[in-house]
Amino acid sequence: MTPQFDMIGITTSDLAASLAFYRRLGLDIPAGAEEQPHVEAALPGGLRLAWDTDDTARSIDPGYDPAATGRGRIALAFRCADPAEVDGQYAELTSAGYRGHLEPWDAFWGQRYATLLDPDGNTVELFAPLPQTD
């Protein structure tokens, strides 16, 4: 059997803050998940997104050191319906106190594009195709 991509994992220092951020992006995360050391959410298409606390990561790997591993080593991209949704989502999330990294702009590769940082400093991209011009 060939391995199949199945899950994206995030190790977080503040599980409640991370889950709140991704709920605001529309992910269906079970109520009360903040009390668990490991959380998973099903994504469209069958992939899963999982979160582990620093303590859980340390219990698996006693050498785990969140300060040494660095932050921002993963990027998750969320496709929006249109460029206006990119702008709206960015505005909503930054107004709610989340950190913007790159304000929405029209990228040369044909997308409206913006970047936020989740509570652990991981990159979260919002994008939508730009209308085709002839």
Side-chain angles (χ1 to χ4, degrees), residues 45-129:
L47 289 176
R48 295 174 295 143
L49 184 57
W51 295 261
D52 288 310
T53 64
D54 285 333
D55 288 340
T56 301
R58 203 173 288 110
S59 72
I60 296 166
D61 177 1
Y64 172 77
D65 177 4
T69 59
R71 295 290 177 222
R73 298 206 180 260
I74 64 166
L76 304 175
F78 287 76
R79 182 183 179 120
C80 297
D82 54 42
E85 187 180 8
V86 172
D87 295 356
Q89 285 289 327
Y90 185 89
E92 179 183 330
L93 289 161
T94 55
S95 293
Y98 296 106
R99 293 178 290 167
H101 185 65
L102 291 174
E103 292 185 5
W105 61 290
D106 292 345
F108 65 87
W109 56 84
Q111 294 176 338
R112 185 71 173 167
Y113 184 87
T115 305
L116 300 141
L117 300 176
D118 78 2
D120 289 291
N122 296 306
T123 303
V124 176
E125 302 163 349
L126 303 173
F127 71 95

